[in-house]
Amino acid sequence: MDIDLMLKVYPFFLEAAWVTIVLSVLTAILGLICGTLGAAARLSRFALLRFLGAAYVSVFRGTPALIQLFILYFGGPQIGIQLDAFEAGVIGLGINAGAYMTETIRGAIIAIDKGQREAARTLGLSSWQATYKVILPQSARLMVRPLGVNLNMLIKATALVAAIAVVELTYTAQRYIGSTYKPFEMFLLAGILYMIIIYVTGRGVAWLDRKVQIN
Amino acid sequence: MTEQTHFVEIRHAQKSFGALEVLKDISLNVERGQIVGIIGSSGSGKSTLLRAINDLDPLTGGEIWLDGVQVNKTLPHRQYEKHINEMRQNVGMVFQHFNLFPHMTARENVTMAPKLLKGLSQADVDKLAEEQLDKVGMLERIDYYPSQLSGGQKQRVAIARALAMKPKLMLFDEATSALDPELVEEVNLVMKKLAEEHMTMIIVTHEMDFAASVCDRVLFMDKGVVVEEGPPSVLFKNPTQDRTREFLRKHIEGAS
């Protein structure tokens, strides 16, 4: 194993790791927005919104994220959507992650005993007031861990955007293999950096989870 | 007929869940200050009737009137929601499983709704919490979370929470059924205190002794109908219907 080579290319990988981190953060934000809207749609009293929410989840969880990215990036221009690779990566992965987060958020909301909503409503709270005063504060506690799992998956899924030439960790590893012919070292280095990112994120999620628990 | 003369008026209440008819043409009047007990075996429809009064389980037929206003009137969704939210502010409800908000202290449980819906100041809200929790004997636990309280204490906080909205009517849905026997009395005492203050109450209960001691009238329900009703002295001592006798015999034997 060529440790010297790894140390030599390491700064370039670190730069690429930043791209992966930025990509992950933006994807997570978009995913949370899509997931919140998706969950709201799935729990709506309007049948059409419930249908659209369910359709969103089954389409984006039912097809490979890579195909979704290819359709958006390569197929997009055909239907008038012009995105650079980074934008397509964030939007494609964000919408995909949102489908998983929809189910996470919905699950955490329906897990709250229905007596909680009833108690709030009998005091005279509107449906929305009951949701944000009584249901969501309790659901939020249930959401942290599973959203952490979604985040973990999402960070690893950012490797897919190498396929549309976003210069992040995986793409950088591939590029250095082209010039060094050392795939073991290059992929190992990328793997180590992914693991650090995921480890730190996991610690953050665990901290947040402890922080939001009641007593 | 639309004119309303009683404080609570239930007219021809009918409720079906699909093919299952749980309330069959029930009519009932309650006067201001009256305490009405509803007894009956599980599945008799007594909880459903209680929950229809504040529209938690909307009726499929019939009318509910409260203090001159029809509760279940036909309105477009938004207007209906507004109407029902206003109406529910006048009706306190106490549940079998307390349904306290676990993420709020006793104080916050009591003040959340008045603060949000009546726009009270922090000082008013603090006074209200102390007043209501003192009334149920829970003042010293004002900043405890529900998880730190016993079942009886939780139910007393839940009663204070309902009272904090200054309701005109209180509904009790088997308020002591989920409690350990030694915790029942403390909740019953709070309810007796309310009775002495002439709060109008409708109480669904399994406790015959309690119903006998606080209620002005007791209704016996079976299979979605009111089989028999009367003052507890009559209903418990000299029931006229076989079904009532049968129920009371089982219940009093079972209890002793």
Side-chain angles (χ1 to χ4, degrees):
Chain A
M1 192 162 75
D2 193 341
I3 305 266
D4 284 345
L5 176 66
M6 283 168 78
L7 289 173
K8 211 173 110 195
V9 298
Y10 167 76
F12 302 104
F13 275 66
L14 207 57
E15 227 169 88
W18 275 114
V19 177
T20 291
I21 290 168
V22 172
L23 190 64
S24 298
V25 169
L26 294 177
T27 301
I29 292 169
L30 181 61
L32 269 177
I33 293 169
C34 292
T36 305
L37 293 175
R42 289 215 61 182
L43 295 169
S44 167
R45 65 188 175 86
F46 298 108
L48 178 66
L49 285 178
R50 286 200 302 275
F51 170 79
L52 290 174
Y56 167 53
V57 170
S58 43
V59 167
F60 285 90
R61 290 201 316 183
T63 52
L66 193 59
I67 294 291
Q68 294 163 22
L69 276 178
F70 283 169
I71 289 176
L72 184 65
Y73 184 63
F74 297 118
Q78 261 178 272
I79 54 167
I81 301 171
Q82 293 282 356
L83 297 170
D84 68 36
F86 187 83
E87 291 165 348
V90 169
I91 292 170
L93 291 176
I95 294 174
N96 177 271
Y100 290 90
M101 290 181 179
T102 293
E103 289 303 88
T104 300
I105 294 169
R106 186 180 81 104
I109 290 172
I110 60 178
I112 305 300
D113 184 82
K114 74 175 174 46
Q116 290 290 311
R117 176 176 288 277
E118 285 184 352
R121 295 302 308 270
T122 55
L123 290 165
L125 270 70
S126 69
S127 178
W128 168 239
Q129 286 170 329
T131 302
Y132 86 82
K133 280 283 184 185
V134 173
I135 306 299
L136 289 181
Q138 296 182 61
S139 299
R141 299 178 164 94
L142 298 179
M143 270 177 220
V144 174
R145 277 171 182 281
L147 280 178
V149 174
N150 292 148
L151 185 60
N152 173 303
M153 306 287 284
L154 170 162
I155 293 168
K156 289 179 287 189
T158 60
L160 292 173
V161 300
I164 56 172
V166 177
V167 189
E168 44 65 79
L169 259 181
T170 304
Y171 186 84
T172 301
Q174 286 169 343
R175 205 165 62 172
Y176 277 88
I177 292 162
S179 52
T180 61
Y181 304 103
K182 300 271 188 178
F184 182 79
E185 284 82 351
M186 297 303 108
F187 282 135
L188 185 66
L189 189 52
I192 290 168
L193 288 168
Y194 275 116
M195 217 181 135
I196 292 169
I197 295 170
I198 283 172
Y199 178 77
V200 171
T201 312
R203 299 299 302 177
V205 169
W207 173 82
L208 188 63
D209 185 56
R210 276 196 307 277
K211 188 128 174 115
V212 297
Q213 295 312 318
I214 344 168
N215 306 310
Chain B
M1 94 176 171
T2 52
E3 197 181 317
Q4 194 251 15
T5 50
H6 304 279
F7 184 56
V8 180
E9 214 172 305
I10 299 172
R11 298 176 187 162
H12 307 292
Q14 193 277 338
K15 170 84 179 175
S16 305
F17 292 105
L20 181 71
E21 197 178 17
V22 289
L23 297 179
K24 300 169 187 164
D25 192 29
I26 291 182
S27 293
L28 165 70
N29 300 324
V30 179
E31 308 307 331
R32 205 180 284 272
Q34 244 187 7
I35 298 164
V36 176
I38 307 178
I39 59 171
S41 43
S42 51
S44 61
K46 57 191 194 304
S47 282
T48 309
L49 180 65
L50 192 78
R51 289 163 58 87
I53 295 171
N54 64 2
D55 207 46
L56 272 189
D57 275 341
L59 292 178
T60 38
E63 295 177 0
I64 306 240
W65 288 75
L66 174 70
D67 203 13
V69 182
Q70 189 181 349
V71 173
N72 60 340
K73 57 185 167 190
T74 313
L75 285 172
H77 179 81
R78 270 172 194 281
Q79 278 165 270
Y80 187 73
E81 283 288 302
K82 191 167 176 290
H83 153 74
I84 213 76
N85 294 339
E86 282 166 10
M87 198 281 309
R88 281 174 176 156
Q89 295 191 26
N90 300 316
V91 183
M93 184 148 192
V94 176
F95 300 87
Q96 182 178 359
H97 297 290
F98 333 124
N99 300 350
L100 282 183
F101 308 131
H103 58 300
M104 299 181 192
T105 61
R107 181 200 299 274
E108 290 161 347
N109 265 281
V110 170
T111 56
M112 185 270 286
K115 204 169 164 179
L116 187 68
L117 302 173
K118 295 184 173 174
L120 299 182
S121 70
Q122 191 59 46
D124 287 345
V125 153
D126 282 335
K127 197 165 144 268
L128 181 71
E130 284 160 22
E131 228 171 66
Q132 297 303 331
L133 287 167
D134 189 30
K135 189 170 187 169
V136 299
M138 289 295 295
L139 189 55
E140 66 273 36
R141 299 282 158 106
I142 191 165
D143 290 316
Y144 282 51
Y145 283 91
S147 59
Q148 301 167 302
L149 302 175
S150 72
Q153 291 173 332
K154 282 183 201 169
Q155 194 61 297
R156 286 188 281 150
V157 172
I159 293 171
R161 174 177 69 179
L163 293 175
M165 289 301 289
K166 312 281 182 197
K168 298 189 257 184
L169 167 69
M170 284 288 287
L171 308 175
F172 291 87
D173 191 3
E174 300 191 24
T176 56
S177 301
L179 296 176
D180 292 336
E182 72 272 21
L183 301 176
V184 169
E185 198 49 32
E186 60 188 80
V187 174
N188 282 348
L189 283 173
V190 170
M191 290 168 70
K192 279 183 180 153
K193 201 163 155 190
L194 283 179
E196 283 157 18
E197 293 171 7
H198 306 292
M199 172 64 82
T200 312
M201 303 199 265
I202 304 177
I203 302 170
V204 166
T205 185
H206 280 300
E207 281 185 86
M208 303 306 140
D209 289 343
F210 180 70
S213 67
V214 303
C215 295
D216 302 307
R217 277 160 68 204
V218 176
L219 279 71
F220 169 63
M221 282 183 68
D222 190 34
K223 300 194 175 85
V225 296
V226 176
V227 176
E228 185 167 357
E229 71 163 296
S233 54
V234 177
L235 191 112
F236 287 119
K237 301 272 158 50
N238 297 303
T240 58
Q241 302 294 314
D242 286 345
R243 278 197 276 176
T244 317
R245 272 196 289 271
E246 174 74 358
F247 173 79
L248 289 173
R249 192 176 56 77
K250 273 193 207 155
H251 236 83
I252 287 160
E253 272 175 13
S256 58

